[in-house]
Amino acid sequence: MNSAAASSSRTTFILAHGSWHGAWCWERVTPHLVAAGHSTISLDFPGHGLDAKFPKSYNDPLDAEAFATEPSFIAEIPLSDFIATVTDAVDQAKAGGADRVVVVGHSMGGVPITFAGEEAADKIDTLIFLTACMGPPNAPYANYFTAPEQEGSKLGDILSADPAVVGAFRWNPASKDPAFLEAAKGALVADGDDDVIAAALNMLTPDAPVAIYGEEPALTVDRYGSIDRVFIKCSKDYTLRPALQDLMISDLNAAFPDKPVRVFEMQSSHEPMLSQPKELAEALMKAIA
């Protein structure tokens, strides 16, 4: 975990990244939050960031056949470890004197923050889903993968292996193939600066978990349902399509009609922390104002 503290603030943002990312992806967002008097804790989930391990076949030159079949180490990491990363950070924020704890999950990060919201409901004030996985109780997020509302997603265009074979969402961010790089930009961060994208590709890791999407959250009205919940839609997202984002919001509101999700929108791709960090920080602060 990387921390930045502002002594004048009693609000701490816990920033949970998505697939293949790490704490580093929030580096251009946190200065804006800290300048406004907030504290931040950026997470590395298990198997990501400085906790990453790499397939033996992930080398130069790449053996594409081996890369497409080698089992992933990340398949052995249970969802409970991801949840604990969030709840440990919540405890850290409280120990540091935070009066308000705001947990932000991007993309994949929406899964563990959902479970953490139920577990640590008495310590979390707001959950913010940044174009993130969000769903109703007792239904695995995997149900959304094949929803008609996800039509047009470009995520599958950049995967290098069958998730059922390797136990991970696997891709090759080290690829120098111009066609692949163009596909990756289109899928993830079409509105991003090419130099920033090139730098990010050197830090993104090849494997992200699949099994966590099959877990069914047992969410209750008294705990998870009591937390303020916000969804930040990204209208130009080609990973989680806007129609799917709307469906997730609708499904959760149907489950908890007495406390509907508050919705904000950004005109951005799937990676606003890379393409629009200042605007994202402003959206996060507006969400808790």
Side-chain angles (χ1 to χ4, degrees):
M1 300 178 189
N2 297 328
S3 301
S7 59
S8 61
S9 173
R10 307 298 291 183
T11 299
T12 296
F13 284 89
I14 295 171
L15 304 171
H17 63 78
S19 295
W20 310 314
H21 292 59
W24 59 266
C25 73
W26 303 100
E27 285 182 3
R28 294 193 171 185
V29 178
T30 55
H32 300 290
L33 298 175
V34 172
H38 303 297
S39 301
T40 68
I41 301 174
S42 300
L43 308 181
D44 275 335
F45 276 125
H48 294 75
L50 291 175
D51 195 43
K53 296 179 183 177
F54 297 85
K56 293 179 180 178
S57 54
Y58 186 61
N59 50 40
D60 187 16
L62 184 76
D63 182 338
E65 183 176 351
F67 192 58
T69 57
E70 181 185 340
S72 174
F73 76 97
I74 213 164
E76 304 301 320
I77 302 175
L79 174 59
S80 58
D81 287 3
F82 288 79
I83 300 168
T85 300
V86 179
T87 56
D88 287 351
V90 170
D91 288 341
Q92 179 184 342
K94 284 295 188 182
D99 292 322
R100 287 198 301 175
V101 175
V102 180
V103 180
V104 182
H106 172 242
S107 194
M108 175 204 75
V111 176
I113 76 165
T114 293
F115 285 81
E118 176 70 20
E119 185 173 324
D122 54 329
K123 303 175 185 177
I124 297 172
D125 296 274
T126 303
L127 291 173
I128 301 180
F129 294 81
L130 173 60
T131 187
C133 303
M134 183 179 74
N138 305 314
Y141 180 81
N143 289 349
Y144 289 112
F145 289 159
T146 56
E149 290 81 359
Q150 180 68 337
E151 184 177 354
S153 174
K154 298 180 179 180
L155 182 62
D157 297 343
I158 63 174
L159 297 182
S160 303
D162 182 345
V165 172
V166 300
F169 283 122
R170 175 171 289 171
W171 72 320
N172 179 17
S175 173
K176 304 305 178 187
D177 176 19
F180 172 83
L181 294 174
E182 187 65 24
K185 181 176 181 179
L188 298 172
V189 60
D191 58 339
D193 177 88
D194 286 346
D195 289 339
V196 173
I197 295 170
L201 286 169
N202 283 318
M203 293 184 281
L204 290 159
T205 50
D207 284 3
V210 169
I212 65 172
Y213 298 105
E215 301 279 354
E216 299 183 5
L219 308 177
T220 63
V221 173
D222 291 343
R223 294 189 64 77
Y224 180 83
S226 69
I227 302 173
D228 179 38
R229 295 178 304 279
V230 174
F231 196 99
I232 298 180
K233 289 181 56 180
C234 291
S235 64
K236 299 179 180 179
D237 191 333
Y238 279 90
T239 295
L240 294 182
R241 301 296 289 136
L244 186 68
Q245 298 173 51
D246 288 335
L247 176 62
M248 293 188 293
I249 294 166
S250 176
D251 285 350
L252 195 65
N253 284 343
F256 299 103
D258 293 336
K259 197 175 183 69
V261 177
R262 295 187 295 114
V263 181
F264 297 82
E265 185 167 338
M266 295 185 65
Q267 302 297 314
S268 77
S269 66
H270 189 63
E271 304 276 347
M273 69 282 295
L274 300 181
S275 63
Q276 300 183 36
K278 182 175 184 291
E279 293 82 356
L280 174 55
E282 291 171 349
L284 294 174
M285 290 186 285
K286 184 177 180 180
I288 65 163

